[in-house]
Amino acid sequence: MFTRSELEIKTIQELSQLCQRYGVRPTGNRGYKTSYITTLMAFPILALQQFQDARGLRKPSFASFQNISTALDEMDSPTDEQIALIRISLEGRRMAYPDRYDQEKLLNVYKAKLHLEEVLSLLNA
């Protein structure tokens, strides 16, 4: 991420700003550049090590994957008429009340299905 030479040419104030930007605290005395440089060079490696150790942000369990897949299966696929209504809805056309409420529900379920499919794709990468 950062090289030592890249960081050593910066002032303590610039190093402090980098630490603040990324939300990390310098190790040791704030009056020394080394405290900031050590932190800025180490945090990417520490973050990956914590991820591998399942500390903090971690991948969901296999059961969670199955639950998402089950939800997608329950949602099924839209019919030709539903696809047509979704397309016209995405163009901004709305039905009269009270049918508009169901139109919005259909559109929201469709969008949720797309997002869940994207979630599975991202988590499998």
Side-chain angles (χ1 to χ4, degrees), residues 21-90:
R21 179 188 305 169
Y22 298 113
V24 293
R25 283 173 273 160
T27 56
N29 189 331
R30 293 179 181 264
Y32 297 109
K33 289 172 85 171
T34 308
S35 299
Y36 295 96
I37 291 171
T38 302
T39 297
L40 290 167
M41 290 184 66
F43 83 82
I45 296 164
L46 290 172
L48 291 179
Q49 184 62 50
Q50 291 164 353
F51 183 69
Q52 291 166 354
D53 294 343
R55 287 183 31 220
L57 185 64
R58 56 186 165 265
K59 290 176 67 172
S61 67
F62 181 72
S64 296
F65 277 105
Q66 286 181 313
N67 290 336
I68 295 170
S69 294
T70 300
L72 280 170
D73 289 343
E74 285 179 19
M75 293 171 128
D76 208 1
S77 297
T79 64
D80 291 342
E81 293 78 13
Q82 289 172 336
I83 290 172
L85 180 56
I86 289 166
R87 286 183 181 147
I88 200 165
S89 299
L90 292 173

Side-chain angles (χ1 to χ4, degrees), residues 82-123:
Q82 289 172 336
I83 290 172
L85 180 56
I86 289 166
R87 286 183 181 147
I88 200 165
S89 299
L90 292 173
E91 292 174 359
R93 308 234 349 168
R94 297 293 179 254
M95 298 174 75
Y97 291 106
D99 292 328
R100 182 179 293 191
Y101 296 115
D102 288 331
Q103 178 187 11
E104 290 297 323
K105 282 183 195 175
L106 175 69
L107 186 58
N108 288 337
V109 169
Y110 176 73
K111 287 179 181 178
K113 180 178 172 60
L114 292 179
H115 287 300
L116 286 174
E117 289 171 345
E118 183 180 5
V119 163
L120 282 180
S121 173
L122 289 170
L123 290 173

